[in-house]
C-alpha cells in the first residue's frame, strides 16, 4: 500500500494503536515509499462504518451518517467540515466512479479520522517527493483533494489493486479546560423556568426495547419503583404523540444513533407527563447495543436540549460552491418521511430559529374554517392533541390565520391567540402555510417576554413556512390516503363482525372492542328500550381493564347524554367535569381537608385519581339511529389533555351507523325468538304424569334453528282414575304452520278423551276439526291409545294407529313385533272408519312409539327403516324405559353424520318385572 501525501506533511498512521491491525502492500514494480511509523499518542476510542450503494441518494445518506455519528460523539465543532468533505468524496465514488462507497469514522482523543473507499483504484500513484497536481479549480469534478487540503488537518490517499481510499483527519479545536459551549449572560427573568430541583431520569434500554436501568429521579418523576419497570418495554409507558399507524414510534426512535424530542410518559397515576428526551445509542465492550435515555420535564428542556440555530438567509452555499435546498437547511437531512415527524421537527426548528420559548403548527380542515393543532413544543400537553381553533378568530388581519401577524403583548389583547391562553406566552408571531393560494395551515412561535418579535422575524418565519408548506401538504395528503385505506379496511371488517351475530350482548361487546383502542381510549354504550325510557348504561370498556369499574361507577353518577338524533359527534362535557370534581375531592381528602382522618381513605386515592385522569379528556357522543329511531348512544373518550381528530370522528360516525343497525337487528331477533319460544313451549306438555306400575320416557328433537316444537308432538295425560291417554303424532311439514296443527291436535285429544269418547271416536272428531281449517289444514299421522295398569303387574292398552309408524313391542325374550295394524291417516278424508286394538304388556315388556323422523333417518342412499329400528330394539332387553329411549336416539344420531332434517319423537313405555329391576 502506497500513501500519497501533501508535501511537507507527516504521514499519519492509518491504523493508530488500539485500532485495527495495520497491513501494508506495495504494488508490483514499485519500491516501498517512505512512511513515518513513529507511534502516535492518540488511541481509537470508537468507530462507526457504513456502506452506500452507487446511487445519487447515497450522498445525502452518507452526510446524514457522518453528521449523526459525530453529533453522537459530541464533536459538533467539526461536523460541518466533516460533512462537506464526506459529501465530496462519496460523490466521487458513487457518481463519478460509479462504485459503492465504504465510510469509516474513527474517534480518538484529539479528533476524528474519516476514510472513504471505493472500488475504482487509480493506477497513477502520486509519490511523496513529487508535486501534487490538484487540477483546474474551474472544472466541475476533482475538487475532493483540494477540499481535503483546505479543510483537513491531515489527509492522504491509499491505493491497492482493488480499491482506492481517501482519508482525512480533523482535530478538535483547543478550548479552555471545562468549556464545551457557552451562552451569553442573561437577566434572571429570561432564564429557563425549572423546579426547585431539576430531576433527570436516566433510563437504559436494551436491544429488545426493555428497560434495564431506572434511577431514583425516574421514580420521583413518574411514580414507578425500579423493580416495577425493569424488564418491561419502554413502549408500555411511552405515550408517543402521533396518529396511530401513520408515523414513527418510540421503538424506532430508540434505534437511532441519537435522538432528541418530546413525548409523554404515562405515570403510575395514569396521567401522561410530557418530557423532553435525549437518546444516545451506545454499545458495551462485548458489542451489545443499548440506548441511554435522559428525561426531564418538558418545561425544563433547556437542561438537555442541544442548541440549534439556522441562518436567516434563504439560501445556503456549501464550501464546494453548490447551493443547498432551503427546505433541507431548515428541516435538516434526511427529512422525516412521516407527517408527524415532519411537523414536530418543523416546530422545533422554528422555535430555535427565532430563539423562542414555544412553537406550534396547525393544519387546516378541508373546508378551511378551522385549524387543528398537530404539533407543538414548549406548550402544555393539552395544546398538543388535535385541539381546534377557528381560522377567523376576529375582525381584522390579526384575527385571521390567513395573514402573518405579530403580537407584542398578548396581555393587552386577551384571546387574540386562543391556543396560547393561560400558557404564560406574551409575544407571538404567526404566519400562514399556503399551497397555490389555498390555506393549508399556520405556523407560530411565542416567547414569555413581551416585544420579542418584529416584522423582520415574521418575514424570516414566513420564508421558512413557504419552503415547507408544499412538503407538509404532500405528507398530509399521503397520511389521509393511508388513513382512508385503513378506514375502509376497518369498516369492512367491522361490518363482517357485526353481521356475524344476532346476540344483543355480543353486539354491544363488539361495538366497544372495535372502538378501543383503535378510535378512542375508552368507550361507553347507552341503550334505549323505547321512546319513554331513559338511556341505560349497557357497556363500558377501557384499554386498561383495571379502570373499567371506576369509569362505570363515575358514569353511573352522571346524567346520561340526551338522545338527540342529529348525526355527527357532539362534545359531552359532563364526564370530564365529574372526573375533575372526583379528583379534587380525592386530593382534599388526602390532605385531610374534609375533617376526617387521612389514613383511612388513602387506599382509595390512587384508583380515583387514575379514573379521573382516564376520563378527564375530550368526550364525544354519537347517536345510534336505526329505522328512524334513536336506540342508543356511543360515547368515546380520551384521557386528560387529549382531543379527537376529525378523521377519527368521521370514521366513528360511519361505525356508529353500522353498529346501530346491527344492534337493532339483534333486538328484533331477540324479541322474535322470545315470542316464538314462548308460543312453542305452550305446545309441549307441561310435565309427564307418574303412572304406578309403568315406566315412561320421552325424547323429543325439533328440526330447525331456534325451534323447540315442530310438526312432531307427543302427549301423556290422565283421563280418569286409573286410565291414561297417550299420543304421538306427526304433522306434515315443519316450522310454525306445522306447529299450529300440533297445538290443535294435542289440545283436542285431551278434551275429547276426557269426554269419555272411545279412541276411534276421538280421532274421527279430530279429523273433522283438521279439515275445518281449510287451506291451513295439514294431514296428520297419529298413534293414540289408552292405558290401564293392572293389579297383576301387567298393563292393558287400546290403540289406534292412523297412518303412523307402527308401535313395536319388545318381549323379555328379545323378540320384537308390531303392536298394532295400520289405518288411514287424518286430515285427508271426511268419512273415516277407525277401530281400536287391545294390547297387553306383560312384566318386562316395552312398547316403543316413534315418528317417521326416526325410521327415515338417511345416510346417502341408506335408510334406517322399520327393520333397522327393530334390530336396535332387540338389544334393549332388560333396560329401563329411559335407557331404551336413549339407546334408540343414540343409534339414530350415529346412523348419519349430517344433522337431522326432520323432527323426531320417541315414546318408550315399560312394565317392570314382578321383582324390582
Amino acid at each position: 500500500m502506497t500513501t500519497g501525501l501533501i508535501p511537507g506533511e507527516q504521514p499519519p498512521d492509518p491504523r493508530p494503536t488500539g485500532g485495527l491491525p495495520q497491513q501494508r502492500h506495495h504494488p508490483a514494480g514499485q519500491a516501498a515509499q517512505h512512511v513515518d511509523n513513529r507511534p502516535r499518542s492518540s488511541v481509537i476510542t470508537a468507530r462507526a462504518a457504513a456502506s452506500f450503494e452507487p446511487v445519487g441518494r447515497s450522498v445525502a445518506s452518507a452526510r446524514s451518517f457522518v453528521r449523526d455519528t459525530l453529533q453522537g460523539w459530541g464533536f459538533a465543532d467539526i461536523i460541518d467540515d466533516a460533512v462537506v468533505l464526506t459529501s465530496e468524496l462519496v460523490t466521487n465514488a458513487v457518481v463519478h466512479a460509479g462504485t459503492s462507497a465504504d465510510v469509516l469514522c474513527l474517534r480518538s482523543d484529539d479528533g476524528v479520522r474519516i476514510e472513504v473507499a471505493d472500488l475504482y483504484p487509480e493506477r497513477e500513484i502520486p509519490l511523496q517527493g513529487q508535486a501534487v497536481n490538484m487540477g483546474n479549480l474551474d472544472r466541475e469534478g476533482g475538487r475532493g483533494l483540494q477540499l481535503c487540503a483546505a479543510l483537513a488537518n491531515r489527509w492522504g490517499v491509499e491505493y491497492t489493486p482493488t480499491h482506492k481510499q481517501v482519508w482525512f483527519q480533523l482535530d478538535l479545536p483547543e478550548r479552555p479546560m471545562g468549556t464545551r459551549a457557552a451562552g451569553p449572560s442573561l437577566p434572571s427573568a429570561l432564564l429557563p423556568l425549572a423546579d426547585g430541583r431539576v430531576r433527570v431520569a436516566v433510563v437504559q434500554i436494551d436491544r429488545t426495547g426493555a428497560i434495564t436501568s431506572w434511577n431514583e429521579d425516574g421514580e420521583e418523576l413518574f411514580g414507578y419503583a425500579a423493580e416495577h419497570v425493569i424488564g418491561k418495554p419502554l413502549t408500555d409507558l411511552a405515550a408517543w404523540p402521533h396518529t396511530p399507524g401513520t408515523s414513527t414510534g418510540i421503538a424506532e426512535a430508540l434505534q437511532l444513533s441519537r435522538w432528541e424530542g418530546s413525548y409523554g410518559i404515562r405515570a403510575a397515576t395514569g396521567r401522561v407527563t410530557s418530557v423532553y428526551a435525549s437518546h444516545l445509542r451506545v454499545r458495551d465492550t462485548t458489542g451489545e447495543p443499548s440506548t441511554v435515555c435522559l428525561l426531564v420535564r418538558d418545561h425544563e428542556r433547556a437542561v438537555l436540549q442541544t442548541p440549534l440555530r439556522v441562518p436567516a438567509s434563504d439560501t445556503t452555499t456549501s464550501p464546494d460552491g453548490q447551493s443547498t435546498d432551503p427546505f433541507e437547511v431548515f428541516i435538516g437531512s434526511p427529512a422525516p418521511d412521516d407527517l408527524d415527524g415532519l411537523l414536530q421537527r418543523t416546530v422545533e426548528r422554528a422555535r430555535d430559529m427565532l430563539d423562542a420559548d414555544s412553537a406550534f403548527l396547525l393544519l387546516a380542515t378541508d373546508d378551511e374554517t378551522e385549524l387543528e393543532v398537530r404539533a407543538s413544543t414548549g406548550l402544555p400537553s393539552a395544546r398538543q392533541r388535535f385541539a381546534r381553533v377557528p381560522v377567523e378568530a376576529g375582525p381584522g388581519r390579526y384575527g385571521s390565520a390567513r395573514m402573518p401577524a405579530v403580537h407584542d403583548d398578548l396581555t393587552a389583547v386577551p384571546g387574540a391567540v386562543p391556543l396560547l391562553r393561560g400558557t404564560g406566552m406574551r409575544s407571538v408571531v404567526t404566519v400562514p402555510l399556503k399551497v397555490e393560494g389555498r390555506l393549508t395551515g399556520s405556523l407560530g412561535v411565542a416567547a414569555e417576554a413581551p416585544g420579542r418579535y418584529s416584522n423582520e422575524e415574521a418575514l424570516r418565519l414566513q420564508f421558512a413556512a413557504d419552503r415547507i408548506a408544499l412538503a407538509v401538504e404532500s405528507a398530509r395528503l399521503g397520511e389521509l390516503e393511508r388513513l382512508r385505506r385503513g378506514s375502509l379496511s376497518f369498516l369492512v371488517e367491522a361490518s363482517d363482525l357485526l353481521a356475524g351475530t344476532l346476540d344483543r350482548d355480543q353486539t354491544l361487546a363488539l361495538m366497544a372492542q372495535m372502538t378501543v383502542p383503535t378510535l378512542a381510549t375508552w368507550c361507553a354504550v347507552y341503550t334505549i328500550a323505547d321512546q319513554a325510557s331513559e338511556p341505560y348504561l349497557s357497556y363500558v370498556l377501557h384499554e386498561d381493564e383495571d379502570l373499567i369499574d371506576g369509569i362505570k361507577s363515575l358514569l353511573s353518577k352522571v346524567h346520561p347524554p340526551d338522545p338527540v338524533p342529529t348525526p355527527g359527534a357532539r362534545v359531552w362535557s359532563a364526564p370530564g367535569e365529574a372526573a375533575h370534581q372526583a379528583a379534587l375531592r380525592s386530593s382534599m381528602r388526602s390532605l385531610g381537608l374534609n375533617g376526617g382522618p387521612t389514613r383511612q381513605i388513602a387506599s382509595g386515592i390512587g384508583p380515583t385519581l387514575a379514573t379521573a385522569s382516564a376520563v378527564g379528556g375530550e368526550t364525544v357522543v354519537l347517536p345510534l339511529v336505526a329505522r328512524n329511531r334513536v336506540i342508543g348512544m356511543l360515547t368515546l373518550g380520551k384521557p386528560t389533555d387529549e382531543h379527537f381528530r376529525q378523521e377519527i370522528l368521521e370514521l366513528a360516525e360511519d361505525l356508529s351507523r353500522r353498529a346501530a343497525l346491527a344492534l337493532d337487528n339483534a333486538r328484533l331477533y331477540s324479541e322474535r325468538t322470545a315470542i316464538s319460544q314462548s308460543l312453542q313451549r305452550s305446545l309441549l306438555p307441561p310435565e309427564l304424569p307418574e303412572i304406578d306400575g309403568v315406566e315412561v320416557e320421552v325424547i323429543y328433537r325439533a328440526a330447525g334453528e331456534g325451534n323447540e316444537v315442530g310438526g312432531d308432538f307427543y302427549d301423556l295425560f290422565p283421563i280418569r282414575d286409573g286410565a291414561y291417554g297417550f299420543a304421538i303424532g306427526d304433522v306434515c311439514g315443519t316450522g310454525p304452520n306445522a306447529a299450529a296443527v300440533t297445538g290443535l291436535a294435542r289440545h283436542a285429544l285431551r278434551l275429547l278423551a276426557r269426554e269419555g269418547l272411545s279412541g276411534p271416536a276421538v280421532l274421527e272428531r279430530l279429523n273433522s276439526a283438521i279439515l275445518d281449517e281449510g287451506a291451513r289444514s295439514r294431514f296428520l299421522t297419529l298413534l293414540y291409545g289408552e292405558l290401564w295398569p293392572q293389579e297383576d303387574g301387567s298393563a292393558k292398552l287400546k290403540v289406534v294407529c292412523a297412518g303412523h309408524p307402527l308401535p313395536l313391542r319388545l318381549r323379555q325374550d328379545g323378540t320384537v313385533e308390531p303392536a298394532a295394524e295400520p289405518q288411514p291417516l287424518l286430515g285427508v278424508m271426511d268419512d273415516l272408519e277407525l277401530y281400536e286394538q287391545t294390547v297387553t304388556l306383560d312384566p318386562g315388556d316395552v312398547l316403543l312409539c316413534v315418528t317417521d323422523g326416526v325410521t327415515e333417518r338417511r345416510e346417502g342412499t341408506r335408510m334406517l327403516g322399520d327393520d333397522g329400528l327393530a334390530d336396535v330394539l332387540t338389544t334393549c332387553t332388560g333396560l329401563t324405559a329411559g335407557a331404551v329411549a336413549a339407546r334408540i336416539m343414540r343409534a339414530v344420531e350415529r346412523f348419519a353424520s349430517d344433522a337431522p332434517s326432520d323432527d323426531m319423537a320417541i315414546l318408550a313405555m315399560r312394565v317392570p318385572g314382578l321383582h324390582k329391576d
Side-chain angles (χ1 to χ4, degrees):
M1 179 174 61
T2 306
T3 304
L5 301 175
I6 298 297
E9 290 286 343
Q10 294 295 327
D13 185 354
R15 294 290 187 273
T17 59
L20 300 176
Q22 175 181 327
Q23 295 181 357
R24 300 183 181 276
H25 303 278
H26 305 288
Q30 296 290 340
Q33 303 301 315
H34 172 70
V35 177
D36 188 356
N37 288 324
R38 289 176 295 180
R40 300 179 56 83
S41 60
S42 60
V43 176
I44 299 299
T45 58
R47 68 189 300 273
S51 297
F52 302 94
E53 298 178 355
V55 293
R57 65 175 180 272
S58 294
V59 179
S61 299
R63 289 200 300 266
S64 177
F65 164 70
V66 171
R67 179 185 293 108
D68 291 343
T69 299
L70 299 189
Q71 191 173 33
W73 288 348
F75 290 171
D77 294 332
I78 59 175
I79 285 179
D80 292 340
D81 290 346
V83 168
V84 168
L85 294 177
T86 303
S87 177
E88 185 65 27
L89 297 179
V90 173
T91 300
N92 290 340
V94 303
V95 176
H96 300 302
T99 75
S100 59
D102 297 329
V103 180
L104 174 65
C105 301
L106 300 173
R107 183 183 70 182
S108 60
D109 296 335
D110 54 357
V112 65
R113 170 188 171 113
I114 297 178
E115 302 174 357
V116 179
D118 62 49
L119 302 181
Y120 190 81
E122 180 66 50
R123 295 307 177 188
E124 179 183 357
I125 303 176
L127 303 180
Q128 181 168 344
Q130 300 175 344
V132 178
N133 180 14
M134 293 295 181
N136 186 355
L137 295 176
D138 296 328
R139 68 178 183 171
E140 180 180 357
R143 293 193 298 269
L145 301 183
Q146 300 174 24
L147 289 175
C148 289
L151 300 179
N153 299 99
R154 290 180 296 280
W155 69 277
V157 185
E158 301 171 356
Y159 298 92
T160 72
T162 59
H163 71 278
K164 178 181 71 176
Q165 176 177 282
V166 180
W167 61 268
F168 59 88
Q169 174 104 12
L170 296 174
D171 295 337
L172 293 176
E174 295 184 1
R175 307 187 189 92
M177 182 62 66
T179 301
R180 173 63 179 87
S185 298
L186 294 175
S188 299
L190 298 181
L191 295 176
L193 181 64
D195 292 340
R197 174 185 173 187
V198 176
R199 296 187 180 275
V200 181
V202 181
V203 185
Q204 192 155 4
I205 313 297
D206 63 16
R207 69 160 67 236
T208 66
I211 298 172
T212 59
S213 177
W214 183 272
N215 70 342
E216 294 180 358
D217 280 358
E219 180 176 352
E220 291 294 331
L221 284 174
F222 310 119
Y224 299 108
E227 59 269 18
H228 294 157
V229 295
I230 289 180
K232 294 183 178 180
L234 182 62
T235 52
D236 289 354
L237 307 180
W240 190 260
H242 68 62
T243 302
T246 60
S247 61
T248 303
I250 185 67
E252 290 78 7
L254 292 172
Q255 299 299 318
L256 301 177
S257 62
R258 190 173 186 88
W259 184 89
E260 284 187 24
S262 301
Y263 53 86
I265 295 292
R266 198 177 301 277
T269 61
R271 186 181 183 88
V272 175
T273 300
S274 296
V275 299
Y276 189 83
S278 176
H279 298 175
L280 177 64
R281 190 79 165 161
V282 298
R283 63 187 178 95
D284 59 18
T285 55
T286 65
E288 181 69 16
S290 62
T291 302
V292 178
C293 306
L294 305 181
L295 311 175
V296 297
R297 296 183 181 92
D298 191 68
H299 65 273
E300 297 171 342
R301 62 170 57 225
V303 177
L304 300 181
Q305 188 171 32
T306 301
L308 296 174
R309 294 293 179 263
V310 180
S313 58
D314 60 342
T315 58
T316 301
T317 303
S318 62
D320 60 4
Q322 297 181 352
S323 296
T324 305
D325 183 8
F327 170 78
E328 183 175 320
V329 172
F330 183 70
I331 295 299
S333 178
D337 57 358
D338 62 284
L339 177 62
D340 287 334
L342 176 61
L343 299 183
Q344 192 61 34
R345 186 178 295 185
T346 297
V347 295
E348 292 175 357
R349 294 296 170 87
R351 183 189 62 180
D352 295 335
M353 183 178 72
L354 296 186
D355 196 20
D357 296 311
S358 64
F360 51 91
L361 193 149
L362 304 90
L363 295 184
T365 56
D366 293 339
D367 57 3
E368 297 183 23
T369 60
E370 288 184 307
L371 294 167
E372 187 177 61
V373 179
R374 293 300 302 270
S376 65
T377 180
L379 294 175
S381 58
R383 321 290 169 146
Q384 298 181 4
R385 285 289 194 170
F386 308 116
R388 290 193 165 207
V389 296
V391 170
E392 308 293 342
R397 60 165 295 179
Y398 290 113
S400 174
R402 303 180 187 277
M403 300 291 292
V406 179
H407 295 277
D408 292 330
D409 193 348
L410 291 178
T411 58
V413 282
V417 184
L419 183 65
L420 301 179
R421 186 182 296 113
T423 62
M425 302 297 162
R426 297 185 63 179
S427 53
V428 61
V429 53
T430 61
V431 296
L433 275 68
K434 293 185 177 181
V435 175
E436 297 179 351
R438 181 174 60 87
L439 179 69
T440 60
S442 177
L443 176 64
V445 297
E448 296 177 352
R452 286 281 299 275
Y453 304 115
S454 63
N455 287 338
E456 180 181 354
E457 282 79 10
L459 290 175
R460 293 176 58 191
L461 190 62
Q462 184 67 71
F463 182 83
D466 292 341
R467 295 302 181 271
I468 67 169
L470 185 60
V472 169
E473 181 66 5
S474 176
R476 187 182 75 88
L477 293 177
E479 181 196 58
L480 286 177
E481 180 63 23
R482 289 191 296 271
L483 188 60
R484 285 172 182 147
R485 290 180 181 178
S487 299
L488 290 175
S489 177
F490 172 79
L491 290 174
V492 169
E493 182 180 358
S495 298
D496 289 342
L497 290 173
L498 292 171
T501 179
L502 287 172
D503 182 83
R504 176 183 176 277
D505 293 337
Q506 189 174 2
T507 302
L508 290 172
L510 285 174
M511 290 171 56
Q513 292 166 6
M514 285 185 291
T515 56
V516 176
T518 305
L519 305 181
T521 306
W522 65 271
C523 88
V525 182
Y526 290 86
T527 56
I528 303 174
D530 52 61
Q531 298 297 330
S533 301
E534 287 289 325
Y536 175 75
L537 182 61
S538 299
Y539 202 91
V540 175
L541 184 65
H542 190 280
E543 62 182 6
D544 184 353
E545 293 183 357
D546 294 336
L547 298 177
I548 294 177
D549 291 338
I551 296 176
K552 188 180 299 183
S553 175
L554 182 68
L555 292 178
S556 64
K557 301 174 183 177
V558 178
H559 191 274
D562 295 330
V564 179
T566 306
R570 69 182 192 276
V571 177
W572 185 30
S573 59
E577 295 172 356
H580 176 74
Q581 293 298 325
L584 181 61
R585 289 193 298 269
S586 295
S587 300
M588 293 178 65
R589 287 198 302 267
S590 66
L591 297 174
L593 298 180
N594 62 341
T598 61
R599 184 176 302 176
Q600 296 179 0
I601 51 84
S603 60
I605 295 174
T608 302
L609 292 179
T611 301
S613 177
V615 186
E618 187 175 49
T619 303
V620 297
V621 177
L622 297 104
L624 299 175
V625 181
R627 298 175 175 90
N628 299 322
R629 187 174 71 88
V630 179
I631 63 170
M633 288 163 290
L634 178 63
T635 303
L636 307 180
K638 288 281 189 179
T640 300
D641 298 341
E642 294 194 23
H643 298 267
F644 287 97
R645 58 181 304 178
Q646 184 62 25
E647 292 83 357
I648 296 296
L649 293 179
E650 292 174 356
L651 181 59
E653 186 177 357
D654 285 339
L655 176 64
S656 68
R657 287 194 291 266
R658 290 166 169 79
L661 187 59
L663 184 61
D664 198 46
N665 288 339
R667 178 187 62 84
L668 294 175
Y669 178 78
S670 299
E671 292 178 357
R672 192 201 72 177
T673 302
I675 294 172
S676 175
Q677 291 177 349
S678 177
L679 292 175
Q680 290 184 55
R681 281 192 293 269
S682 69
L683 302 179
L684 294 176
E687 60 182 9
L688 296 179
E690 292 185 4
I691 304 176
D692 293 336
V694 178
E695 298 174 359
V696 180
E697 183 64 28
V698 175
I699 296 180
Y700 184 84
R701 297 284 190 274
E705 182 180 359
N707 290 332
E708 294 187 12
V709 177
D712 291 6
F713 69 96
Y714 66 92
D715 201 357
L716 180 64
F717 54 92
I719 300 176
R720 51 191 173 270
D721 293 341
Y724 297 87
F726 66 91
I728 183 169
D730 184 3
V731 179
C732 175
T734 60
N737 293 330
V741 179
T742 297
L744 171 65
R746 194 178 72 81
H747 292 291
L749 284 175
R750 287 197 173 208
L751 179 63
L752 295 173
R754 287 171 178 170
E755 289 294 323
L757 300 177
S758 64
V762 169
L763 268 58
E764 289 171 1
R765 285 166 172 76
L766 175 60
N767 179 64
S768 299
I770 294 175
L771 293 175
D772 288 344
E773 291 293 311
R776 295 182 299 176
S777 67
R778 301 209 169 199
F779 64 81
L780 167 67
T781 68
L782 180 64
L783 173 65
Y784 173 75
E786 295 180 358
L787 169 67
W788 291 271
Q790 303 297 310
E791 293 180 357
D792 60 358
S794 63
K796 180 181 178 181
L797 293 82
K798 292 183 178 181
V799 297
V800 180
C801 186
H804 198 77
L806 300 180
L808 299 179
R809 177 180 180 179
L810 172 65
R811 296 184 181 274
Q812 280 189 315
D813 59 3
T815 60
V816 175
E817 61 184 7
E821 297 177 356
Q823 300 184 56
L825 51 77
L826 308 181
V828 177
M829 301 179 295
D830 290 331
D831 297 328
L832 286 180
E833 294 183 0
L834 302 175
Y835 59 91
E836 62 185 8
Q837 297 174 275
T838 302
V839 180
T840 300
L841 295 181
D842 296 326
D845 289 355
V846 175
L847 184 70
L848 177 67
C849 309
V850 300
T851 59
D852 61 3
V854 174
T855 57
E856 294 180 2
R857 178 76 162 144
R858 294 181 179 274
E859 174 67 19
T861 59
R862 297 187 308 117
M863 187 172 69
L864 179 63
D866 296 333
D867 294 338
L869 178 62
D871 292 339
V872 177
L873 185 59
T874 58
T875 66
C876 299
T877 303
L879 299 181
T880 64
V884 171
R887 179 170 292 189
I888 297 297
M889 179 56 73
R890 187 162 55 249
V892 172
E893 291 175 342
R894 291 178 177 177
F895 186 80
S897 57
D898 295 337
S901 59
D902 195 5
D903 304 328
M904 293 187 294
I906 299 174
L907 172 61
M909 293 184 290
R910 177 177 179 266
V911 178
L914 296 177
H915 301 286
K916 187 175 181 179
D917 293 344

